[in-house]
Amino acid sequence: MKRIITIVFYMLSGMVCSGQGNAVFWPIIPLPESIVPHTGEFVLTAETKIYVGQQAPPADFLNVFLKLYHGFGLQTTADSSEANTIRFELTPTAKEAYILSIKPSGIKVTGDSSGLFYGIQSLIQLIGVKTGKPLKLHCAEIIDSPRYTWRGMHLDCSRHFFTKEFVEKYIDLLASYKFNTFHWHLTDDQGWRIEIKKYPKLTSVGAWRHGSMVGAYSDHKFDTIRYGGFYTQNDIREVVAYARARHITIVPEIEMPGHSVAAIAAYPYLSCTGKQIDVQKEWGVFDDVYCTKDSTFAFMEDVLAEVMTLFPGKYIHIGGDECPKTRWKTCPHCQALIKKEGLKDEHELQSYFIRRIEKFVNAHRKQIIGWDEILEGGLAPNAAVMSWRGTEGGIIAARQKHMVVMTPGKPCYFDHYQSRNKSKEPHAIGGYNPLDSVYAYNPTPGVLNAEESKYIMGAQGNVWTEYILTGNQVEYMAVPRMCALAEVLWTPAEKKSFVFFLSRLKVNSAILDRKNIHYAKHFLIKK
Ligand code: ACM
Ligand code: ZN
């Protein structure tokens, strides 16, 4: 009788969820491409063994999770025929794809190395953190692969500094929702955060400000507390390795030619005026930017050479946004360069700056990516574009056959409010990007044809930190909106359902609780 009821339940869940599975049985975020329910359960106990096939990476992440939240780890076995095993097999499937097969006799995960890692993330979500034995997993065949290749989250560590340990906690969070890119915003007007051996003042001077804005921008109030911090090159290497083990590529951002006050405070010759200025205490956009003289390019190339040895990924983010042309307009060096190069105006000078940097980066077999202002005055030949002022920049770039990451302010800026009830929220920069708006986002604009759409690599959630002072607040602003974005970036568009997402998020929140993630709980409140 029980078996008949179970089969009927599976049939219903299959029908109701049209092959997506059931929130309680398979509460995976992002929702897999396909879940085919089968009858029966796999019972996971301390007697279960792990079999790791040839060349498959070890399943350490699973064991760390089990030990931490369930108090036992699994032994490995070399006997491939043994029952009650979790088997991992490296197979030359599509990139980042995996198959997770749960049968009463055992579990099998197959995929490429990223796929196996993602299979483990799904398995961890299925096991969950509910204690009390036995741990039962409902049988199913889960076939999964991502929709986009760039599944990104960003963190601004300049406006406020976050420790290496927090950055690693953030990377863990990204990995658990199958993000593969961490955009690390390392330099800005309010602080330079990466050690550069050739220019020690970047961190001895540029990493510290003598006060910060307090409260709302309109109050224009400042404290006088020395604030700062930076990552040593050893820290960076450790974080890069930490991310790499979690199949996350770090894209470092070194801002130019604007948002460069901290560097200029350290080395005033980099600006048009050469005047000594302080690392900014105020948020905003500032007139002191890098001058376009040769000594600035020599500095930028030295900095980028060190950055490129630290970050093994393909892309270096060179900023490019919000660069006022005020100083360039009256600078003899900049005006002479405009004349010499036959440039029309300061916008073309910005384009010259970015192209010259691109040549250097390309010579080191890396690519640049920049905010969509790098379109102005003409896009550098191989540059990828991050579209933040809406989607228009991304559309133009894709039509020019340039790779694009979509991160429009609406809905991808997670420093914006997530509730209309602003008085009950921590002070934020403004805007309103609720969870459902993130979930509804489609990174591929409908106006692009199939060929143009191929240039959309994916999308990214940005966490700017002018008004985000602590790691707890980063988590509050990022989660669960990043969970919604994860599903946008991974799950086939036609399989998405916000209601179904919320039901899985509720189950998943138990894991967030146990991991001590300070996520926003609006989705738990009944309307
Ligand atoms: C940006 O938000 N200025 C890229
Ligand atoms: Zn100048």
Side-chain angles (χ1 to χ4, degrees):
M1 184 60 184
K2 186 167 173 252
R3 189 172 157 76
I4 291 169
I5 292 169
T6 309
I7 289 170
V8 169
F9 177 82
Y10 285 126
M11 284 168 63
L12 283 175
S13 69
M15 276 153 52
V16 170
C17 305
S18 58
Q20 295 174 339
N22 172 286
V24 180
F25 280 14
W26 301 284
I28 300 173
I29 295 174
L31 180 69
E33 196 178 319
S34 130
I35 298 177
V36 178
H38 292 303
T39 51
E41 291 163 340
F42 175 78
V43 184
L44 177 65
T45 68
E47 279 69 54
T48 302
K49 294 212 173 100
I50 289 176
Y51 171 80
V52 177
Q54 269 190 349
Q55 293 172 343
D60 293 352
F61 287 103
L62 177 62
N63 254 344
V64 168
F65 172 82
L66 285 172
K67 281 181 193 155
L68 203 57
Y69 298 106
H70 295 282
F72 67 90
L74 303 181
Q75 305 289 317
T76 54
T77 175
D79 179 359
S80 67
S81 64
E82 212 172 307
N84 190 20
T85 54
I86 303 179
R87 298 167 57 99
F88 292 94
E89 286 180 14
L90 193 69
T91 51
T93 51
K95 259 187 156 180
E96 303 189 301
Y98 70 93
I99 297 173
L100 170 58
S101 169
I102 306 168
K103 295 184 174 158
S105 57
I107 291 177
K108 187 162 125 184
V109 190
T110 53
D112 70 346
S113 68
S114 300
L116 289 178
F117 179 77
Y118 295 139
I120 290 173
Q121 298 314 308
S122 293
L123 196 50
I124 284 172
Q125 292 185 352
L126 292 179
I127 296 167
V129 289
K130 237 196 215 156
T131 46
K133 313 277 164 9
L135 294 172
K136 288 183 178 172
L137 300 182
H138 296 277
C139 292
E141 176 97 342
I142 297 172
I143 300 173
D144 207 5
S145 65
R147 181 177 169 201
Y148 290 101
T149 57
W150 186 297
R151 304 183 301 280
M153 281 294 295
H154 150 287
L155 183 63
D156 169 9
C157 293
S158 173
R159 274 52 177 266
H160 283 100
F161 178 71
F162 300 94
T163 61
K164 186 187 79 166
E165 289 70 29
F166 178 75
V167 171
E168 291 182 350
K169 187 182 182 197
Y170 191 69
I171 286 170
D172 268 330
L173 201 49
L174 267 58
S176 65
Y177 296 110
K178 304 188 177 85
F179 283 90
N180 64 0
T181 307
F182 170 45
H183 173 169
W184 201 357
H185 188 76
L186 287 165
T187 74
D188 217 300
D189 302 304
Q190 296 81 5
W192 182 283
R193 306 282 176 230
I194 172 173
E195 179 190 26
I196 301 294
K197 301 274 189 198
K198 195 161 181 184
Y199 297 95
K201 283 187 175 177
L202 284 172
T203 42
S204 66
V205 174
W208 305 93
R209 60 178 183 254
H210 300 284
S212 306
M213 268 197 131
V214 181
Y217 185 86
S218 54
D219 294 345
H220 224 256
K221 284 200 180 123
F222 298 85
D223 66 27
T224 54
I225 302 164
R226 184 173 185 261
Y227 182 92
F230 64 94
Y231 309 101
T232 64
Q233 293 203 352
N234 272 343
D235 289 338
I236 302 265
R237 273 188 277 271
E238 275 178 41
V239 175
V240 166
Y242 191 89
R244 195 178 214 174
R246 287 153 183 79
H247 297 264
I248 287 177
T249 302
I250 302 186
V251 177
E253 182 178 356
I254 307 296
E255 275 270 18
M256 65 189 82
H259 286 294
S260 46
V261 169
I264 293 169
Y267 295 99
Y269 75 86
L270 296 169
S271 75
C272 292
T273 67
K275 277 193 196 136
Q276 179 66 62
I277 55 172
D278 290 335
V279 177
Q280 267 297 344
K281 301 176 195 176
E282 188 177 343
W283 317 134
V285 172
F286 303 96
D287 284 345
D288 285 304
V289 301
Y290 290 125
C291 180
T292 58
K293 59 197 166 199
D294 282 347
S295 53
T296 307
F297 286 102
F299 164 84
M300 287 309 343
E301 291 181 7
D302 289 341
V303 167
L304 289 172
E306 290 193 32
V307 169
M308 285 188 285
T309 62
L310 290 168
F311 294 93
K314 173 177 170 184
Y315 284 104
I316 302 290
H317 201 301
I318 50 75
D321 59 321
E322 299 179 319
C323 179
K325 310 297 185 290
T326 318
R327 296 282 185 259
W328 291 357
K329 281 187 179 151
T330 56
C331 170
H333 293 291
C334 293
Q335 290 305 312
L337 189 59
I338 287 178
K339 231 185 203 157
K340 181 175 159 225
E341 294 295 329
L343 306 173
K344 200 168 78 206
D345 55 17
E346 288 74 21
H347 294 288
E348 288 200 357
L349 185 58
Q350 150 120 355
S351 171
Y352 169 91
F353 193 113
I354 303 295
R355 282 169 195 259
R356 190 159 158 179
I357 293 296
E358 179 181 72
K359 253 192 207 149
F360 179 77
V361 171
N362 287 170
H364 289 74
R365 295 186 298 282
K366 304 258 189 197
Q367 301 282 323
I368 65 161
I369 184 163
W371 301 110
D372 58 51
E373 285 94 329
I374 66 170
L375 280 153
E376 293 164 12
L379 198 48
N382 306 309
V385 171
M386 216 169 238
S387 192
W388 72 281
R389 297 175 301 172
T391 55
E392 198 53 36
I395 292 167
I396 293 168
R399 287 186 169 148
Q400 292 179 17
K401 302 190 189 307
H402 284 255
M403 301 313 286
V404 170
V405 175
M406 286 298 194
T407 180
K410 231 176 179 1
C412 292
Y413 272 38
F414 296 167
D415 56 333
H416 291 193
Y417 285 99
Q418 54 194 315
S419 157
R420 279 201 196 282
N421 204 344
K422 293 185 182 174
S423 62
K424 292 225 166 105
E425 292 293 312
H427 180 70
I429 198 162
Y432 176 56
N433 288 333
L435 185 62
D436 60 346
S437 73
V438 179
Y439 194 84
Y441 182 55
N442 182 0
T444 303
V447 295
L448 294 182
N449 64 32
E451 188 50 37
E452 293 161 345
S453 298
K454 289 182 189 155
Y455 292 92
I456 307 295
M457 290 191 279
Q460 181 173 289
N462 291 342
V463 184
W464 298 103
T465 60
E466 288 93 335
Y467 302 94
I468 299 178
L469 279 65
T470 64
N472 288 358
Q473 206 185 335
V474 168
E475 290 168 9
Y476 179 82
M477 299 304 274
V479 190
R481 287 186 284 192
M482 66 178 279
C483 307
L485 185 63
E487 199 143 309
V488 164
L489 291 168
W490 184 279
T491 306
E494 67 279 7
K495 297 239 163 133
K496 283 169 59 200
S497 149
F498 186 58
V499 173
F500 189 39
F501 166 72
L502 286 181
S503 63
R504 279 173 287 121
L505 185 58
K506 281 176 190 158
V507 180
N508 187 267
S509 64
I511 300 180
L512 294 171
D513 288 328
R514 286 295 302 280
K515 285 187 176 172
N516 198 26
I517 304 293
H518 301 81
Y519 61 97
K521 299 202 163 80
H522 309 84
F523 69 94
L524 293 172
I525 299 162
K526 278 214 162 75
K527 295 214 174 100

